[in-house]
Amino acid sequence: MPAAEDRRADDRKIVLIVRDTRLDELIVRFNTVQQAQFYVEHLGADFGDYLAEQQHYRAAVQEVEASLRAVARVQTLNRRYLGNFIFGVDDIVVVLGQDGLVANTLKYLDGQHVLGVNPDPKRWDGVLLPFRVGDVRKVMPEALAQRRTLKRVSMAKASLNTGEVLYAVNDLFIGPRSHVSARYDLRIGEVHEKQSSSGIIVSTGMGSTGWLKSLYAGWTGAAASFGMEVPAGLADATFPWDAEFLHYFVREPFPSRTTGVSLVSGQIAAETPMAVVSEMAEHGVIFSDGIEADFLPFNAGTLATIGLAERQGLLVT
């Protein structure tokens, strides 16, 4: 008779998250491979690279599926269905890269363990993809038996007074959908300020190596060009993935008689969330992790409370 631990591992379901390749997306757009090829080559690009990527990814999917089915039940899910899929409490989730797919998956989970697999190390760096396709057969039984270490990832959460909620693994954007100024009232603790800017970025520790880092790099580069001394380490805005705080940065704040620029960057502590009240008649949005199509409307009178999420992502390492 198998041990209790083995029975629990066998009963758990594995959800394999996959994505469309660039060629898959082109075929949806142009209906056939031939028409997609004509479009790509007409622009002078190498269609062979699109074919190679698709063939490599499909082969990776087949190999990973076979490795997973050898140890447990498997359900394969395309990323486009993540928002509507109901994960089981004991499900273990395998994401077949890139990094963005891991981040996009984490925000739909609540305590499920995530194992990131890099389908093509020559093509993708894979910061969130510690495993290769060939590793899955060995690593998966250990992950099912909970014998692998976990890395915790803090997330951000935007809660609106309309009842809507949005999670972010990397960052939240709060501002205008188009290239116009955002107007809002920003409050952190007892301090508040009316502002006009091109939007607010709120970053998690995981996201601090991306958008937030580029914002600080631009700021320090501009300061240095004017001969200003930039404190050592200020350009590196990164902080730990499991940090108990978030970091905000206001993009291009505009000073005027009615708008200020004193609350432009800083931490959002767990006990002191940020509150933002929209003063935009239209085009105000909040989106997460760079996915602009998945947004919450943020127009006049809407109150957004921004803070640490009540849950963390759990990455298998």
Side-chain angles (χ1 to χ4, degrees):
M1 180 178 293
E5 181 179 291
D6 293 333
R7 289 201 301 273
R8 286 198 299 272
D10 291 342
D11 289 342
R12 295 176 72 185
K13 179 172 90 272
I14 301 171
V15 182
L16 173 61
I17 309 298
V18 299
R19 60 174 179 84
D20 291 333
T21 65
R22 294 177 299 163
L23 182 53
D24 291 328
E25 293 170 349
L26 284 173
I27 292 171
V28 170
R29 182 178 173 188
F30 294 106
N31 299 316
T32 68
V33 174
Q34 292 76 18
Q35 288 175 306
Q37 181 176 2
F38 174 80
Y39 171 78
V40 170
E41 293 182 343
H42 182 71
L43 295 176
D46 178 16
F47 186 70
D49 187 56
Y50 288 75
L51 283 172
E53 178 192 355
Q54 186 187 63
Q55 291 167 357
H56 198 106
Y57 189 72
R58 286 183 175 179
V61 171
Q62 291 179 352
E63 184 175 345
V64 170
E65 281 184 333
S67 297
L68 298 178
R69 293 187 193 283
V71 295
R73 294 180 295 125
V74 180
Q75 181 170 358
T76 301
L77 181 72
N78 190 286
R79 71 179 300 170
R80 73 173 72 97
Y81 303 117
L82 274 170
N84 298 316
F85 187 78
I86 299 176
F87 290 89
V89 174
D90 293 326
D91 287 351
I92 186 165
V93 182
V94 176
V95 179
L96 195 56
Q98 304 110 309
D99 285 331
L101 184 56
V102 177
N104 190 224
T105 301
L106 281 173
K107 67 184 180 182
Y108 294 106
L109 303 179
D110 188 4
Q112 292 87 355
H113 298 180
V114 177
L115 192 150
V117 180
N118 192 335
D120 193 350
K122 293 182 180 179
R123 188 180 294 270
W124 314 118
D125 292 337
V127 175
L128 305 181
L129 308 169
F131 304 108
R132 298 192 177 192
V133 170
D135 298 330
V136 174
R137 190 171 294 274
K138 174 183 180 296
V139 172
M140 202 64 234
E142 297 173 351
L144 284 167
Q146 299 185 22
R147 293 198 296 265
R148 304 289 305 192
T149 57
L150 297 174
K151 189 165 189 175
R152 294 184 175 274
V153 178
S154 296
M155 294 191 285
K157 179 181 178 181
S159 304
L160 304 188
N161 56 351
T162 60
E164 296 173 285
V165 172
L166 184 66
Y167 290 89
V169 175
N170 287 320
D171 39 53
L172 290 165
F173 172 80
I174 307 155
R177 179 185 295 180
S178 57
H179 294 287
V180 296
S181 294
R183 297 186 69 90
Y184 50 86
D185 187 289
L186 173 64
R187 178 182 293 275
I188 299 178
E190 298 301 317
V191 182
H192 82 98
E193 180 175 73
K194 289 186 179 294
Q195 292 186 343
S196 175
S197 74
S198 61
I200 308 169
I201 305 300
V202 177
S203 177
T204 66
M206 179 179 285
S208 65
T209 59
W211 204 346
L212 182 69
K213 185 175 182 178
S214 70
L215 290 168
Y216 269 94
W219 182 84
T220 55
S225 70
F226 286 101
M228 298 173 61
E229 183 176 351
V230 179
L234 185 58
D236 185 5
T238 60
F239 55 99
W241 289 5
D242 60 352
E244 291 297 315
F245 63 88
L246 305 171
H247 196 109
Y248 75 94
F249 193 104
V250 178
R251 302 193 314 171
E252 302 168 326
F254 184 76
S256 71
R257 291 181 179 178
T258 58
T259 58
V261 294
S262 63
L263 294 176
V264 295
S265 179
Q267 292 185 6
I268 301 172
E271 65 277 8
T272 313
M274 169 191 285
V276 191
V277 178
S278 176
E279 296 181 353
M280 295 173 279
E282 57 183 358
H283 303 309
V285 296
I286 300 176
F287 64 79
S288 66
D289 301 328
I291 304 176
E292 297 184 39
D294 184 14
F295 67 91
L296 301 180
F298 187 58
N299 296 316
T302 305
L303 166 65
T305 302
I306 312 295
L308 278 167
E310 70 281 2
R311 61 188 191 229
Q312 291 183 312
L314 298 172
L315 293 176
V316 176
T317 62

